[in-house]
Amino acid sequence: MSSKTDDGGISRRDLFGSTAKLAALAGMAAAGGGIASVVGGSASASESKQAYEVQPGQLDEYYGFWSGGQTGELRVLGIPSMRELTRIPVFNRCGATGWGRTNESLKILTEGLLPESKAFLKKQGMLTFENGDTHHARPSYTNGTYDGRYLYVNDKTNARVARVRLDIMRVDKITQIPHALGVHGLRLQRYPKTGYVFCNSEFRTPIPNDGKILDDYHKYKCVYTALDGETMKVAWQVLVDGNLDNTDADYAGKYSAATCYNSPEGVTLEQMTNKERDWAVVFNLKAIEAAVQQGEATMMSGVPVLDGRKAARSNFTRYIPVPTSPHGCNATPDGKYFVANGKLSPTVTIIEWAKLDDLFAGKIKEEDAIVGQLEVGLGPLHTTFDGRGNAYTTLFLDSQIVKWNIDDAIKAYKGDKTVKPIRQKLDVQYQPGHNNATMAETHEADGKWLVSLNKFSKDRFLNVGPMKPNNDQLIDISGDEMVLVKDDSAFQEPHDATLVRRTLINPIEIYKRDDPMFADAVAMAAKDKVDLLNDSKVIRDGRKVRVYMTSVAPKFGLSSFKVKKGDEVTVVVTNIDDVVNLTHGFNMTGYGLSMEISPQATASVTFTADRVGVYYYYCHQFCHALHMEMQGRMLVEA
Ligand code: CUK
Ligand code: CUA
């Protein structure tokens, strides 16, 4: 496991000793020691340079895509108002939309599961995993900026990646990643387009994880996955040393990188942190693609797997030594660098993409790809950018955002003592994880707003019991100083957010009848010779009953239908209203059914009519003055 590059190159003065390291960990667990004082001038006296109030009736300038953490969903906010505009159900069940219960959503939630998961879930009496843990939501790119097609998000718990269609803001594909437990870091290929969805599997496991290896943790492995964002199939996997944390890609389509902790490959806290160096692993995409094409990969679970571990001495990876337990991995919008954030070390490490050509050619050593290492404060987790050469790093332990200049940090690393790279430190409330600035992960970074996603809110909001909300703070970064302008409470736990100029996202208002979301229901109706826009009728096919009905405010096409106990019933509702915002719902009392049918959409749900008697279905969206009357009866005879 040892390598000459492990301890080479970097000055030791920036590192924590092991005592301080454990103290830092204790601090993380205990929500920090207290509120850090402002260093380098408070901005509280400064005024925001931009209007941050969005008046009633006015629209926001940016979309914000928030991961929903342990809720398994996504949230869409307007920036700068911080108004929550909608939620997108992903890995969770959702009563407003029927996600996780309708036939359309269940197909998406089940078809991409690995065979072993399907078999396991069946034994548990479940069709799919019922929780998710979303961390990183990223919209697709073309030529280094957002193209409005898709958004991808990970499920850390069950190693899934979901794709959201941004035209309807609904998930259309979910893929479970083989050989991985806990897909954590997720970022996208930026050039020429997405392209790859890079997925870090965080936890090392035996591969295959079939019970033959259990406690012998030196035999565990970790994979880096490239998912094809178009087909949602795994393109390739590369075995790596250590545990992968976060990832990012360059702006040229040549390389990607991942922060990697636990280089000792231990399984206890002490084992994982007992070295002073971990790595930023860099991936040579062209070399990997060539090897896959030439059939050099081993096929496992139908996926080509290459060995990029250090011992394999491949040309797929290089391991650049950085201080222990790095966390965030962030590419600068000028396309030149990426930053590995120290977490346990008070530093950020700047690595130059262009140097990777020489590194893979064997012309320079790993540590020579490092062009800067700046001490920024305690607990640096994630960095974002303003497109004007400045970086903004969250300091988890100091509860601050530190603004620093990239060029000055590089000069200082070269020995220039005249530069002062740190521009400002701003208190946030409290313990920030991710931050992100407007368009910061594109070549169009515009440096207007920054959000700091703070894990703790303690005294900032009315007390809601022991579990407090997170505090997402809006900061004006358009001027020389950062100015905190707004607190926004959030339910657990928006790890990460992406801020996108509104003109790049163009959702539709009304479904097109040929939308693939309900293509199966349309095909089924065609077989039954049912015209979904005009017909409401019941078709019996042995013990299977298909109930087709239209919905138009304030009426369902059927005011009642009759089935027999034990029938397998599929209800298909088509909303024939062609009016913006006129969504209907379909809820069945006593049967736990609920679904959304937006204008010109079809939705369907299948259940067994096991309860005899009279059950009402009703519209759950307040669609009309006679909305309460929009109902009907299902009669189930014994
Ligand atoms: S992670 Cu949560 S604060 Cu999952 Cu990107 Cu760093
Ligand atoms: Cu339709 Cu209420």
Side-chain angles (χ1 to χ4, degrees):
M1 282 327 313
S2 72
S3 154
K4 276 184 189 140
T5 59
D6 270 355
D7 298 292
I10 309 169
S11 154
R12 287 170 153 249
R13 88 195 128 84
D14 290 337
L15 298 173
F16 278 162
S18 47
T19 321
K21 216 187 286 171
L22 289 175
L25 289 168
M28 288 187 179
I35 305 162
S37 61
V38 175
V39 183
S42 165
S44 57
S46 306
E47 294 269 301
S48 174
K49 301 270 184 298
Q50 324 170 69
Y52 58 91
E53 297 291 355
V54 176
Q55 296 301 319
Q58 299 296 302
L59 301 180
D60 283 289
E61 202 181 337
Y62 298 90
Y63 283 94
F65 294 99
W66 256 240
S67 60
Q70 303 88 328
T71 65
E73 65 189 4
L74 287 168
R75 301 169 195 163
V76 184
L77 274 67
I79 307 296
S81 74
M82 306 290 280
R83 297 182 294 203
E84 185 180 288
L85 307 177
T86 194
R87 296 182 175 196
I88 304 173
V90 184
F91 301 112
N92 55 320
R93 293 281 305 269
C94 168
T97 58
W99 193 259
R101 185 63 190 89
T102 63
N103 295 334
E104 290 72 31
S105 61
L106 278 172
K107 182 181 181 196
I108 293 162
L109 282 160
T110 54
E111 68 183 355
L113 291 174
L114 294 168
E116 59 266 34
S117 292
K118 282 187 190 165
F120 162 78
L121 288 161
K122 201 172 171 194
K123 287 209 176 111
Q124 310 297 308
M126 297 192 287
L127 289 169
T128 187
F129 294 104
E130 292 182 352
N131 76 310
D133 185 9
T134 57
H135 284 229
H136 303 111
R138 287 295 178 279
S140 57
Y141 292 87
T142 297
N143 294 332
T145 195
Y146 302 125
D147 59 21
R149 290 179 299 140
Y150 296 118
L151 179 143
Y152 302 86
V153 65
N154 69 307
D155 166 20
K156 173 165 164 169
T157 312
N158 304 305
R160 290 176 293 178
V161 176
R163 179 173 78 184
V164 174
R165 274 174 53 191
L166 286 174
D167 62 338
I168 54 170
M169 301 260 176
R170 288 287 178 268
V171 172
D172 80 329
K173 287 262 181 216
I174 294 178
T175 300
Q176 193 177 29
I177 307 295
H179 314 133
L181 292 178
V183 163
H184 180 234
L186 177 146
R187 284 292 187 283
L188 309 178
Q189 183 178 3
R190 292 190 167 90
Y191 186 87
K193 65 173 206 165
T194 312
Y196 293 134
V197 179
F198 297 111
C199 314
N200 283 350
S201 68
E202 179 160 359
F203 303 112
R204 301 170 59 249
T205 62
I207 297 178
N209 196 10
D210 56 5
K212 293 199 179 102
I213 298 170
L214 281 180
D215 205 17
D216 193 359
Y217 62 82
H218 287 295
K219 293 193 178 142
Y220 296 179
K221 294 171 193 158
C222 200
V223 290
Y224 185 73
T225 302
L227 184 72
D228 181 326
E230 300 280 346
T231 62
M232 289 297 280
K233 297 225 157 46
V234 173
W236 43 260
Q237 295 189 312
V238 174
L239 294 174
V240 291
D241 290 315
N243 289 42
L244 295 170
D245 196 349
N246 279 287
T247 179
D248 208 351
D250 66 3
Y251 280 75
K254 289 167 73 178
Y255 301 110
S256 64
T259 47
C260 181
Y261 65 96
N262 190 21
S263 62
E265 310 210 308
V267 285
T268 66
L269 182 59
E270 289 71 23
Q271 288 164 354
M272 288 189 208
T273 55
N274 79 0
K275 253 193 176 177
E276 298 216 325
R277 302 283 165 196
D278 282 319
W279 305 298
V281 193
V282 288
F283 298 87
N284 184 343
L285 304 180
K286 299 292 166 225
I288 292 167
E289 284 169 349
V292 170
Q293 274 195 348
Q294 284 153 27
E296 288 168 29
T298 310
M299 293 302 288
M300 295 171 69
S301 313
V303 168
V305 182
L306 291 164
D307 195 346
R309 289 175 294 173
K310 294 182 112 182
R313 304 195 166 276
S314 75
N315 219 22
F316 312 136
T317 55
R318 288 290 182 273
Y319 292 76
I320 299 170
V322 297
T324 298
S325 289
H327 184 62
C329 183
N330 305 97
T332 60
D334 60 7
K336 288 187 188 164
Y337 313 107
F338 73 92
V339 174
N341 297 262
K343 190 169 78 178
L344 297 191
S345 155
T347 59
V348 287
T349 301
I350 307 165
I351 294 163
E352 187 173 344
W353 293 114
K355 299 231 185 238
L356 301 186
D357 292 346
D358 283 347
L359 176 58
F360 278 101
K363 292 184 190 155
I364 61 169
K365 290 200 297 187
E366 277 78 355
E367 48 270 31
D368 296 332
I370 296 172
V371 294
Q373 194 164 66
L374 180 70
E375 191 164 327
V376 287
L378 295 184
L381 289 187
H382 294 280
T383 296
T384 189
F385 308 96
D386 63 10
R388 298 187 296 270
N390 300 306
Y392 301 77
T393 302
T394 52
L395 301 175
F396 182 85
L397 296 176
D398 281 342
S399 281
Q400 291 179 321
I401 305 279
V402 51
K403 175 180 176 180
W404 52 278
N405 183 274
I406 301 166
D407 282 345
D408 282 356
I410 294 169
K411 283 183 197 153
Y413 186 70
K414 285 195 185 128
D416 185 341
K417 297 218 164 51
T418 64
V419 292
K420 289 201 168 48
I422 305 275
R423 296 291 193 264
Q424 185 197 359
K425 290 188 175 183
L426 176 76
D427 284 353
V428 292
Q429 286 76 25
Y430 309 94
Q431 264 79 30
H434 274 272
N435 62 0
N436 219 329
T438 42
M439 297 296 290
E441 297 188 2
T442 72
H443 65 63
E444 299 185 285
D446 63 12
K448 288 193 172 179
W449 301 105
L450 177 148
V451 288
S452 174
L453 306 183
N454 307 312
K455 308 292 186 186
F456 294 80
S457 64
K458 297 189 225 182
D459 48 9
R460 299 296 280 194
F461 303 113
L462 288 177
N463 184 4
V464 289
M467 190 168 91
K468 313 295 183 208
N470 286 201
N471 187 11
D472 298 343
Q473 291 183 302
L474 183 72
I475 294 165
D476 178 359
I477 56 165
S478 64
D480 286 339
E481 292 215 314
M482 295 180 275
V483 183
L484 175 65
V485 298
K486 200 177 286 189
D487 280 9
D488 188 51
S489 59
F491 188 60
Q492 273 63 19
E493 173 185 337
H495 280 264
D496 195 4
T498 311
L499 313 182
V500 181
R501 203 169 63 233
R502 72 178 185 201
T503 52
L504 298 176
I505 307 290
N506 292 293
I508 59 170
E509 306 250 34
I510 291 176
Y511 275 92
K512 296 193 184 70
R513 285 301 302 157
D514 60 357
D515 196 294
M517 182 62 83
F518 41 83
D520 285 358
V522 169
M524 188 173 74
K527 263 201 205 156
D528 282 337
K529 301 201 168 26
V530 169
D531 173 358
L532 287 172
L533 292 175
N534 289 297
D535 298 344
S536 291
K537 59 169 118 167
V538 179
I539 296 197
R540 178 168 282 281
D541 174 6
R543 290 313 304 269
K544 294 189 175 179
V545 180
R546 292 184 285 280
V547 180
Y548 293 96
M549 65 176 96
T550 56
S551 68
V552 56
K555 250 177 105 123
F556 287 112
L558 292 174
S559 58
S560 72
F561 64 89
K562 193 188 272 182
V563 295
K564 295 193 184 72
K565 179 177 161 53
D567 282 344
E568 184 195 288
V569 182
T570 298
V571 175
V572 183
V573 184
T574 299
N575 180 352
I576 62 173
D577 275 313
D578 204 348
V579 177
V580 172
N581 211 351
L582 219 170
T583 293
H584 296 292
F586 177 91
N587 275 27
M588 180 73 81
T589 57
Y591 271 80
L593 304 177
S594 169
M595 58 187 187
E596 154 217 357
I597 316 109
S598 277
Q600 292 289 304
T602 294
S604 70
V605 65
T606 299
F607 57 95
T608 305
D610 267 335
R611 306 181 80 174
V612 296
V614 177
Y615 298 90
Y616 282 85
Y617 48 91
Y618 67 92
C619 171
H620 72 203
Q621 297 264 334
F622 209 113
C623 56
H624 189 275
L626 289 171
H627 150 79
M628 297 303 288
E629 288 79 356
M630 189 167 174
Q631 53 175 266
R633 290 168 305 144
M634 173 173 73
L635 313 174
V636 185
E637 63 186 12

